[in-house]
Amino acid sequence: DAGITQSPRHKVTETGTPVTLRCHQTENHRYMYWYRQDPGHGLRLIHYSYGVKDTDKGEVSDGYSVSRSKTEDFLLTLESATSSQTSVYFCAISDPGDRGFNEQYFGPGTRLTVT
Amino acid sequence: GESVGLHLPTLSVQEGDNSIINCAYSNSASDYFIWYKQESGKGPQFIIDIRSNMDKRQGQRVTVLLNKTVKHLSLQIAATQPGDSAVYFCAEILYNQGGKLIFGQGTELSVKP
């Protein structure tokens, strides 16, 4: 398995509280992604990063922010969690210099429940 | 717009039979189409990709077919095994958006022993 870890793996939080999810990689890949997975929607991109301090929005970015201060870490923050953000969150990495973007490696996921 | 979808949500096959998982797409500008496998409790795992100018690509026990005329993609798994039981997603990749993947909703493959 590619060296990707996510923390925490499970979290239950209350509506209105801030939450930060962490993705850590040991592959030195340039690109990192945050997806969410919901029944009936498959996986949808929230934000991605193409380098340290370089990030861009995905298709479902409202209510989320990200930061990447080091190559190996990509943080996803929910400033004020809502029940609609209950989901499974996956981090992924890729490097255009390897197989190109095509082979993205995914982490094990974080199950977030907002009550 | 951009969308990738799947024809069937579930597929049940007997061990040893061949499996065919289908996918329809709408974005004709995609450069590559990709199949991912997701086992329960895990993240998706890359299986195989196909460039948009190809009709067929074979891997180990898997074959992907692309029909651009009808915007249809399929994944064929030969001699399906219990370990193939998983959800399979087709996806298209957008190189001009940082390698963003647009996923379909998935087909759950169940292999009966």
Side-chain angles (χ1 to χ4, degrees):
Chain A
D1 292 342
I4 310 171
T5 56
Q6 293 183 230
S7 59
R9 293 293 314 280
H10 302 272
K11 186 169 182 65
V12 179
T13 191
E14 293 183 348
T15 299
T17 60
V19 177
T20 295
L21 308 183
R22 180 183 183 234
C23 177
H24 179 78
Q25 60 145 330
T26 57
E27 305 296 321
N28 200 36
H29 279 14
R30 180 180 166 195
Y31 283 75
M32 298 185 75
Y33 310 83
W34 276 108
Y35 293 88
R36 60 178 288 176
Q37 185 171 31
D38 306 290
H41 288 281
L43 287 96
R44 293 178 292 174
L45 182 67
I46 305 171
H47 282 280
Y48 70 96
S49 169
Y50 48 96
V52 174
K53 295 189 180 357
D54 293 322
T55 65
D56 206 347
K57 295 179 179 180
E59 57 188 308
V60 290
S61 59
D62 287 347
Y64 302 95
S65 62
V66 291
S67 66
R68 191 168 178 201
S69 59
K70 299 185 290 184
T71 298
E72 56 266 36
D73 290 325
F74 192 32
L75 304 181
L76 176 71
T77 297
L78 291 66
E79 300 292 346
S80 177
T82 67
S83 57
S84 65
Q85 293 175 311
T86 292
S87 187
V88 180
Y89 292 84
F90 287 99
C91 174
I93 64 174
S94 71
D95 197 298
D98 189 1
R99 277 187 50 84
F101 289 118
N102 292 14
E103 192 162 352
Q104 290 188 14
Y105 301 96
F106 284 79
T110 294
R111 183 174 294 277
L112 176 68
T113 302
V114 183
T115 61
Chain B
E2 303 164 348
S3 67
V4 180
L6 292 163
H7 289 313
L8 297 173
T10 61
L11 176 65
S12 182
V13 300
Q14 206 68 36
E15 182 179 358
D17 288 350
N18 296 333
S19 302
I20 300 176
I21 300 171
N22 297 305
C23 176
Y25 65 91
S26 62
N27 188 349
S28 300
S30 300
D31 290 318
Y32 276 91
F33 297 92
I34 305 170
W35 283 99
Y36 277 85
K37 172 186 180 182
Q38 186 176 23
E39 297 175 272
S40 180
K42 297 183 179 180
Q45 181 181 11
F46 175 93
I47 302 173
I48 190 169
D49 60 5
I50 184 167
R51 190 164 183 165
S52 60
N53 62 356
M54 299 172 64
D55 298 321
K56 179 179 180 179
R57 186 163 187 225
Q58 286 185 294
Q60 189 174 20
R61 280 202 308 118
V62 295
T63 300
V64 56
L65 300 178
L66 178 61
N67 185 331
K68 293 180 286 296
T69 302
V70 295
K71 298 183 180 179
H72 184 268
L73 187 70
S74 69
L75 177 70
Q76 300 179 2
I77 304 174
T80 313
Q81 303 168 0
D84 294 326
S85 294
V87 177
Y88 289 82
F89 294 94
C90 64
E92 59 178 308
I93 188 163
L94 304 179
Y95 280 12
N96 62 353
Q97 294 185 37
K100 168 185 174 181
L101 288 169
I102 305 289
F103 282 88
Q105 293 188 4
T107 292
E108 183 173 6
L109 175 65
S110 176
V111 182
K112 299 177 181 178

